[in-house]
Amino acid sequence: MDADRKLFLGGRLKRLRRELGLSQTAMAADLTVSPSYLNHIERNQRPVSAQLLLRLAETYDVDLRAFGQAGGVASEAALAEVFADPLFAGVAPPRHEVMQLAEDQPAVADAVLKLYRAFAERRARANVEAGAAPDDSPADWVRDYIQARANHFPELDALGETLAEALAAATPGEPFETRARARLSERHGLSVRTLPAEVMVEWTRRFDPHRRRLLLSDTLGPASRAFAVAYQLAMAEHEAELNALRDAAAPPDGATGRLLKVALCNTLAAAILMPYGAFQAAAEASGYDLSRLQARFGVSFEQAAHRLTTLSRPTARGVPFFLMRVDQAGNVSKRFASARFPFARFGGACGRWRLHSAFRTPGRVLTQIIETPDGGRWFTLARTIERQGRDGYGEPDDLAIGLGCELKHARKLVYARGLDLNDPEVTPIGPACALCHRHPCAERAAAPFDRPLSVDDWAKSISPFPFAGN
C-alpha cells in the first residue's frame, strides 16, 4: 500500500465486522478505539490509520494486502465488464462511481455481479433455445468460483501435506511416481499402465474402473505423468472431501459440478506433489526461481507457476502472483490470481504484453514491467510451454504462460535482479480492447464499447480503431 495515500476502507471494515458478528462497540473495544471513531471510519469520514490496520491484522488475522485492495468478488474490473454489456447502453455509470461501489460497498457490488450473472445465465439458456450460441459456460462459473477463493484452498493444502509426508515415510528416497504407484497398488488395488498414443487415441489419462487401471498416454513427459498419478491418488484417497467441497460451492448444474470437482482434484494433486510448507520455503529461498522449483519437486514450468498463485496461507504467505495461459491465437485458457489483477473476463490479454511475444522465442523467459489503467505496476515474466499430449509431429503447438506480481514484490524475485526498480522502463497496457481507453495504440483490435469510432478521410492514425472522446 502507498504510504502517502489515505485509505478510506469503511465498506470493507463494516463488512468484516458483520462477518465476525460484532457490534461497533465490541469491535471498537477489541481495537482499543472509541465507538464514535470506528463509526466515522465505517462511514468514510475518517481514513484508516496504519496503526489501526496493524491492530486489525493482529486481532482478527486479516491479510493487509487483501484488505487494502479493491472490494470482494466484484472488483472494479469485474463490474466494468458487467456495465460494458449492451444492456446498459446509455446508462452505464462512470468509472469513478464503479470504483466507489467496488471499494465502499463491496456487498452491494457482489450482489450486482451475482444478479448480472443470473441474468446472463438466463439469457444464455434463451439463446440456446433460440439456436444461438451461449455467452456463459461451466468453465466461466468454475473460474469465477476459484477466483472468489483467491485460488487458495487450505483444506486441500493440509490433505496434500499429510499425504506427501506419508509417501515419503513409506519409501524414503524413491521418486514421487514410484511412491505414488506403490500406494495406489497396495492401498487401492490400482495399477498404472502406459500405452501408445494410437491406443489411447484422444485421451492422455483415463481411469478404467472395471479393471482398476490408470491408463496413461506415452506422449506424456515425466512431470505430466507424475501429475496424472498424483491426480488418481488424490481421487482414490480423498474423493469424499472433494465431493463435500464441490457440494458446498453449490454449482448450478451437473456439468459445472463435475468440472469444479476436476479443478479441486487438480489442486489437491498439486498439493501432494508440491506440499505447501516445503514449496513456499523453497520458493522464498530460491528467489522464486522456477527452474529450481521444477528440479526440486520434479514438476513442469506450468505446474510450478500455477502453484505459486496459491500461496496464501496466513502463517506462510508467498508473493501474490497472477497467471494467464494463452495459445498462439490469443485465446485464454487459464486465469488465476492469489491477489488482485484487473483480468478481463472476456477477450484475451493486451497485445502490448510480452506474453504474446514469447512464441517468437520458445523456452526463453521474457520479463516486462507493465502498468494497468488504474496506475498499478506489475512485474511479469512470460515463457512458452509445450501443450500436453502432443504427438511430436507437424507444426509446433505451444502455449504461453504469463506470471506476474505487483512491482513492490519484484525485489524478492531472481528474475528482477539487475533491474532499476525505482525508475523502471514501464509498458502501459489495458484490459480487453472493448474496455480500454488508452490511445493511440497500434495493437488495438476494437474501439472501446462506450466510445464511437472517429474516422477521418484526411488523416490516418497508428491505431486501426481511432475513437472519439479520447
Side-chain angles (χ1 to χ4, degrees):
M1 283 178 266
D2 187 342
D4 297 325
R5 176 182 156 213
K6 291 184 177 179
L7 296 176
F8 291 92
L9 306 175
R12 266 158 280 173
L13 184 61
K14 184 186 295 184
R15 189 181 197 186
L16 173 65
R17 178 172 61 79
R18 288 176 174 170
E19 287 173 351
L20 295 171
L22 299 174
S23 65
Q24 279 190 342
T25 301
M27 177 173 270
D30 287 347
L31 300 175
T32 64
V33 298
S34 69
S36 62
Y37 176 63
L38 186 63
N39 182 53
H40 284 307
I41 291 176
E42 287 192 357
R43 296 167 65 182
N44 281 330
Q45 294 175 348
R46 296 283 296 274
V48 177
S49 67
Q51 292 83 357
L52 186 60
L53 278 176
L54 290 174
R55 281 186 219 144
L56 278 168
E58 293 169 357
T59 306
Y60 304 121
D61 192 24
V62 172
D63 178 6
L64 295 185
R65 295 179 309 198
F67 193 75
Q69 293 162 359
V73 177
S75 66
E76 178 194 344
L79 289 170
E81 291 202 67
V82 167
F83 292 122
D85 192 296
L87 175 71
F88 299 103
V91 296
R95 180 171 178 262
H96 74 272
E97 291 188 12
V98 174
M99 185 185 304
Q100 185 174 8
L101 176 62
E103 291 189 352
D104 296 343
Q105 301 293 333
V108 176
D110 287 352
V112 169
L113 189 59
K114 185 174 182 180
L115 182 63
Y116 175 77
R117 285 175 180 160
F119 162 78
E121 288 171 5
R122 182 178 292 272
R123 182 172 61 185
R125 287 195 295 271
N127 287 342
V128 171
E129 291 170 0
D135 57 3
D136 206 352
S137 70
D140 292 326
W141 191 96
V142 170
R143 185 182 297 124
D144 290 341
Y145 173 76
I146 292 173
Q147 193 51 54
R149 294 279 302 258
N151 198 24
H152 180 55
F153 294 86
E155 51 273 85
L156 297 182
D157 282 329
L159 292 174
E161 283 186 312
T162 300
L163 186 47
E165 290 172 1
L167 288 172
T171 51
E174 293 289 342
F176 171 83
E177 187 178 342
T178 302
R179 288 180 273 145
R181 285 186 180 221
R183 189 172 178 101
L184 281 172
S185 175
E186 294 164 7
R187 296 216 171 195
H188 305 285
L190 301 179
S191 63
V192 181
R193 289 192 61 191
T194 300
L195 299 176
E198 294 78 12
V199 176
M200 294 293 288
V201 193
E202 66 180 289
W203 309 106
T204 58
R205 168 182 58 80
R206 190 170 188 180
F207 178 59
D208 179 355
H210 303 292
R211 297 183 180 180
R212 307 290 291 169
R213 298 186 305 177
L214 173 63
L215 307 177
L216 304 178
S217 170
D218 63 2
T219 61
L220 294 179
S224 295
R225 193 172 59 244
F227 194 92
V229 174
Y231 180 96
Q232 194 62 50
L233 183 60
M235 190 71 76
E237 300 261 341
H238 295 298
E239 186 170 17
E241 292 90 336
L242 293 168
N243 287 339
L245 278 172
R246 176 204 59 200
D247 295 343
D253 52 52
T256 305
R258 288 188 291 275
L259 188 61
L260 176 59
K261 183 177 177 181
V262 168
L264 294 171
C265 196
N266 281 331
T267 299
L268 180 52
I272 298 168
L273 274 167
M274 297 166 276
Y276 191 105
F279 187 83
Q280 189 269 346
E284 288 280 328
S286 68
Y288 292 84
D289 186 331
L290 283 155
S291 61
R292 290 182 60 184
L293 293 174
Q294 286 180 253
R296 166 72 173 78
F297 294 94
V299 295
S300 69
F301 182 90
E302 180 179 4
Q303 290 164 3
H306 192 157
R307 186 61 167 141
L308 288 178
T309 69
T310 69
L311 303 182
S312 296
R313 181 178 286 176
T315 56
R317 295 186 188 278
V319 167
F321 284 99
F322 67 85
L323 178 146
M324 184 179 287
R325 188 181 71 186
V326 301
D327 64 17
Q328 296 189 51
N331 300 306
V332 179
S333 51
K334 274 189 179 182
R335 289 185 182 97
F336 293 110
S338 59
R340 69 182 186 97
F341 181 75
F343 288 126
R345 184 167 180 263
F346 306 102
C350 178
R352 306 188 72 184
W353 187 12
R354 284 185 186 166
L355 173 62
H356 304 286
S357 304
F359 293 107
R360 297 199 290 268
T361 55
R364 178 185 169 193
V365 174
L366 304 179
T367 62
Q368 183 184 24
I369 297 172
I370 58 176
E371 182 178 86
T372 47
D374 60 0
R377 290 187 171 185
W378 312 81
F379 181 84
T380 69
L381 56 97
R383 206 204 83 169
T384 57
I385 59 169
E386 288 190 0
R387 192 187 295 269
Q388 178 180 302
R390 281 184 56 194
D391 59 14
Y393 299 101
E395 293 297 317
D397 189 22
D398 291 346
L399 301 170
I401 294 288
L403 188 71
C405 63
E406 287 189 81
L407 185 59
K408 64 184 179 182
H409 300 296
R411 286 180 173 81
K412 300 185 73 172
L413 311 185
V414 66
Y415 302 97
R417 291 176 186 171
L419 298 180
D420 183 357
L421 299 179
N422 294 317
D423 185 24
E425 179 183 346
V426 178
T427 303
I429 71 164
C433 289
L435 300 171
C436 181
H437 292 160
R438 289 197 185 279
H439 186 78
C441 177
E443 288 81 12
R444 179 171 288 283
F449 80 97
D450 57 351
R451 304 289 172 86
L453 278 173
S454 179
V455 180
D456 188 340
D457 292 346
W458 299 92
K460 178 176 174 59
S461 168
I462 66 168
S463 171
F465 296 94
F467 53 90
N470 51 58

